[in-house]
Amino acid sequence: MIDRTVTVPDAETMRRLGSDVLAPVLQAGDLVILTGDLGAGKTTLTQGLGAALGVRGDVASPTFIIARTHPSLTDGPDLVHVDAYRLTTLAELDDLDLDTSLEDAVTVVEWGDDAAALSDDRLHLTILRERGGVFDMDDPSGGERRVRITSHGRRWDAVELPQL
Ligand SMILES: Nc1ncnc2c1ncn2[C@@H]1O[C@H](COP(=O)(O)OP(=O)(O)OP(=O)(O)O)[C@@H](O)[C@H]1O
Ligand SMILES: [Mg+2]
């Protein structure tokens, strides 16, 4: 079981958390849940992950769509990027027309709220923004994040995450 907390000082390090820590261990069929406030860095992390997986298209915040499929440009898994603010259960994901099957993809769900109710096998990242630091008007979203990574389900029993 994985339970690790890492300190992420800037956006570039958040991208590296996706590319250097998550991408090497993720396989087709895996589910990653990202929990955190607006602007916490969920999409930033997913960008690093998408780059390392070698998928097509820019990972961006899906505004009017709930989910976007980024097909693999190699023979690795596709990336399904989901904005779950408008989903209430993961079962609803299956009802969407995703152009790929979740068994063939790494699925990343940005979940605004606590996702403790989800019982599936998953890697769960909770991104906490440090508050109380000096607020910088020129960089309102800047600052350190703490990311707690926990695993749920047997899938992760023998998985070792690389160091950031
Ligand atoms: N330590 C950090 N980690 C991640 N992002 C950071 C950090 N410091 C500053 N940022 C900036 O914060 C912003 C995070 O935005 P991002 O879209 O990734 O958040 P989000 O969690 O996906 O938000 P939303 O809830 O709107 O989807 C980016 O502009 C990024 O450059
Ligand atoms: Mg986002």
Side-chain angles (χ1 to χ4, degrees):
M1 136 133 205
I2 295 163
D3 187 350
R4 187 192 298 174
T5 301
V6 293
T7 300
V8 177
D10 51 34
E12 187 46 41
T13 310
M14 190 63 91
R15 269 183 217 101
R16 283 202 298 109
L17 184 59
S19 60
D20 299 4
V21 177
L22 297 189
V25 303
L26 290 174
Q27 300 171 356
D30 284 344
L31 173 66
V32 179
I33 306 281
L34 304 178
T35 301
D37 287 349
L38 219 72
K42 303 180 292 295
T43 300
T44 303
L45 185 150
T46 311
Q47 286 166 346
L49 176 62
L53 289 178
V55 297
R56 193 173 74 210
D58 291 331
V59 171
S61 281
T63 310
F64 296 109
I65 50 165
I66 295 174
R68 178 176 286 151
T69 299
H70 298 272
S72 176
L73 293 171
T74 64
D75 54 9
D78 299 335
L79 175 66
V80 173
H81 181 206
V82 184
D83 191 336
Y85 284 102
R86 281 156 295 166
L87 290 181
T88 51
T89 67
L90 275 185
E92 289 174 56
L93 253 189
D94 287 332
D95 299 336
L96 300 173
D97 194 9
L98 289 174
D99 290 338
T100 183
S101 116
L102 296 182
E103 289 88 67
D104 298 331
V106 167
T107 301
V108 175
V109 183
E110 294 194 22
W111 200 280
D113 237 328
D114 183 39
L118 303 171
S119 60
D120 304 61
D121 269 14
R122 68 191 189 273
L123 205 57
H124 194 156
L125 281 77
T126 304
I127 306 175
L128 289 176
R129 213 153 151 170
E130 298 296 308
R131 302 193 196 271
V134 179
F135 182 75
D136 181 354
M137 279 257 283
D138 295 325
D139 184 17
S141 63
E144 191 170 291
R145 316 289 200 254
R146 278 159 54 79
V147 182
R148 182 168 180 204
I149 307 169
T150 53
S151 68
H152 304 262
R154 304 295 309 273
R155 152 74 178 101
W156 309 99
D157 278 358
V159 175
E160 284 270 2
L161 287 182
Q163 294 295 326
L164 180 61

